[in-house]
Amino acid sequence: MTIIVTGGAGFIGSNFIFYMLKKHPDYRIVCLDKLTYAGNLSTLAPVMNEPNFRFVKMDICDRQAVYGLFEEEKPDIVVNFAAESHVDRSIESPEIFLQTNILGTAVLMDACRKYGITRYHQVSTDEVYGDLPLDRPDLFFTEETPIHTSSPYSSSKASADLLCLAYHRTYDLPVSISRCSNNYGPYHFPEKLIPLMIVNALHDKPLPVYGQGLNVRDWLYVEDHCKAIDLVIHDGRIGEVYNIGGHNEMANIDIVKLICRKLNKPESLITYVTDRKGHDMRYAIDPTKIHNELGWLPETKFAEGIDLTIDWYLSHESWWEEIISGDYQNYYQRMYGGR
Ligand code: NAD
Ligand code: TDX
């Protein structure tokens, strides 16, 4: 079994590669990644010399190169994590999101049609459903919830999802889609809420909370997401969407305060800044379908997962120090400077 994992030098893709190499030591895993600002080759160092692992630096939008790799590797399964993934960056410059997230997905699926695969899996997000109001805690996203996007990022992911379903109906391509809630854990790029707050707190820098910090996200430990995708690609039904979520809703401000407590830092570091444009209020996934069909349930409780995550950042300072010492500083200044 050969699996091409795109975007495997990023946060979730790398965790998925580690999980799969351990769980299925007889599989060959080929990681295709463009190594954008979010992709980090040092992340994959622990597996780089494994005989059943190969890394290829490639853009999923480069049709010729992608076809060449498929011709060479003849993959059975393709799991597409490659994407521009940060909402704030999509608000600043949408175009690259349309290119990678939509056109790149089309190139990968065209390659799948041309060379034949048993499964193309699209890693999607709960953000395609838009948001829910704070005063209706009884409401959750199901797979039937209409797509209703807010940001250029979520719109590009929703477009890709629609394209996948169209390729299934039109060309009979064996696709599946998973829509997951917010992940956290090791190797999370420090532009996202949890790692940004950990890294800033460790440097005694201000902790920029958007708006009043009341927005709610449903947090899932990254390994639980990887386990769910492993189940879907093997046993999930073709042409189907599976929601993945932890039933672990928390307001941003509560997460930031928790991080302060865990790191023994004063809450006076918290700084309320101008809200994100079009900021989604609440995400909440109903994971009944994947539980009933595939027996998946989140295994890592938030109390345990956040400790594992903080410990990981404390013991992997060189990983994130290297990231924040480069172009990240320009990004940070652009994004937070005048806020
Ligand atoms: P990430 O930004 O950490 O990693 C993205 C990876 O894709 C990087 O390694 C980057 O180099 C690579 N990449 C970007 N453009 C590429 C291109 N054109 N060709 C090849 N590689 C390219 O993202 P992540 O948080 O790991 O998210 C992975 C996937 O999961 C994305 O599709 C995202 O939409 C989805 N998702 C993320 C979350 C979350 O909480 N992080 C939740 C639900 C769904
Ligand atoms: O500095 C910050 N301050 C702040 O208050 C940052 C970076 C974020 N926030 C808020 C915005 C959100 O309400 O925290 C919440 C989480 O923000 P992000 O970490 O940027 O995640 P989110 O926008 O929820 O999107 C994430 O989950 C769904 C991923 O980045 C997406 O790739 C995924 O699809």
Side-chain angles (χ1 to χ4, degrees):
M1 171 81 78
T2 296
I3 305 186
I4 289 188
V5 176
T6 68
F11 166 43
I12 309 175
S14 60
N15 278 282
F16 181 72
I17 287 172
F18 300 146
Y19 178 76
M20 293 299 278
L21 284 171
K22 208 181 262 177
K23 173 95 190 292
H24 307 283
D26 51 327
Y27 285 12
R28 175 171 170 75
I29 305 282
V30 178
C31 171
L32 180 175
D33 198 296
K34 183 182 176 184
L35 297 180
T36 67
Y37 78 91
N40 209 323
L41 210 46
S42 73
T43 299
L44 293 170
V47 297
M48 213 45 123
N49 293 324
E50 295 290 329
N52 55 339
F53 176 74
R54 176 183 176 197
F55 176 81
V56 183
K57 185 175 185 311
M58 191 177 284
D59 184 340
I60 58 168
C61 301
D62 184 342
R63 188 174 288 275
Q64 222 182 338
V66 168
Y67 284 9
L69 184 68
F70 274 63
E71 172 106 53
E72 199 184 325
E73 289 289 349
K74 307 204 169 24
D76 301 287
I77 297 177
V78 175
V79 183
N80 181 24
F81 291 93
E84 289 293 333
S85 68
H86 192 33
V87 173
D88 290 327
R89 289 185 191 254
S90 84
I91 294 167
E92 195 189 36
S93 13
E95 194 174 338
I96 184 68
F97 285 73
L98 312 185
Q99 256 166 34
T100 289
N101 299 3
I102 308 175
L103 298 177
T105 298
V107 168
L108 289 172
M109 290 194 297
D110 284 340
C112 289
R113 288 172 55 212
K114 189 169 159 68
Y115 293 97
I117 38 92
T118 58
R119 179 71 65 112
Y120 172 85
H121 184 75
Q122 178 72 5
V123 180
S124 186
T125 168
D126 59 0
E127 297 200 17
V128 301
Y129 298 122
D131 64 350
L132 295 164
L134 285 185
D135 61 358
R136 289 294 307 273
D138 55 314
L139 295 181
F140 296 90
F141 299 135
T142 73
E143 290 79 1
E144 274 69 52
T145 302
I147 285 192
H148 186 78
T149 57
S150 311
S151 68
Y153 162 71
S154 55
S155 305
S156 68
K157 293 295 290 182
S159 305
D161 285 11
L162 293 176
L163 211 51
C164 291
L165 296 173
Y167 270 55
H168 172 58
R169 176 158 174 166
T170 308
Y171 305 117
D172 219 13
L173 192 72
V175 307
S176 49
I177 298 173
S178 53
R179 294 180 178 150
C180 192
S181 60
N182 285 56
N183 286 214
Y184 68 102
Y187 300 108
H188 204 180
F189 195 88
E191 65 187 350
K192 308 283 168 55
L193 181 76
I194 289 182
L196 184 136
M197 295 301 164
I198 295 173
V199 164
N200 278 18
L202 288 172
H203 282 132
D204 297 305
K205 280 180 62 179
L207 307 177
V209 171
Y210 298 166
Q212 296 176 285
L214 299 178
N215 306 65
V216 167
R217 298 292 183 264
D218 173 5
W219 294 95
L220 181 72
Y221 192 62
V222 61
E223 195 179 44
D224 279 325
H225 186 188
C226 298
K227 288 178 181 168
I229 294 173
D230 182 34
L231 285 174
V232 173
I233 59 177
H234 288 101
D235 301 320
R237 285 183 293 139
I238 281 168
E240 292 289 319
V241 174
Y242 291 90
N243 281 356
I244 306 171
H247 271 312
N248 180 64
E249 291 178 47
M250 290 182 74
N252 295 339
I253 187 66
D254 294 332
I255 300 237
V256 179
K257 285 183 176 169
L258 179 69
I259 291 171
C260 288
R261 275 201 303 281
K262 296 267 178 200
L263 292 174
N264 213 8
K265 297 290 178 182
E267 285 184 10
S268 56
L269 287 177
I270 295 173
T271 312
Y272 293 93
V273 301
T274 310
D275 210 351
R276 173 184 280 174
K277 288 190 175 80
H279 198 173
D280 281 336
M281 211 58 223
R282 169 178 169 245
Y283 301 144
I285 280 277
D286 175 353
T288 305
K289 180 174 174 180
I290 190 167
H291 175 60
N292 287 348
E293 287 190 20
L294 304 175
W296 178 87
L297 274 179
E299 290 168 31
T300 305
K301 298 261 176 297
F302 189 76
E304 184 194 342
I306 195 70
D307 282 350
L308 288 171
T309 305
I310 290 176
D311 285 350
W312 188 89
Y313 279 86
L314 287 172
S315 59
H316 289 76
E317 199 175 323
S318 60
W319 182 86
W320 53 265
E321 280 289 4
E322 195 182 309
I323 288 171
I324 65 171
S325 66
D327 190 50
Y328 182 87
Q329 291 303 330
N330 298 327
Y331 162 79
Y332 201 89
Q333 188 51 36
R334 251 186 6 257
M335 206 54 85
Y336 295 92
R339 207 149 182 163

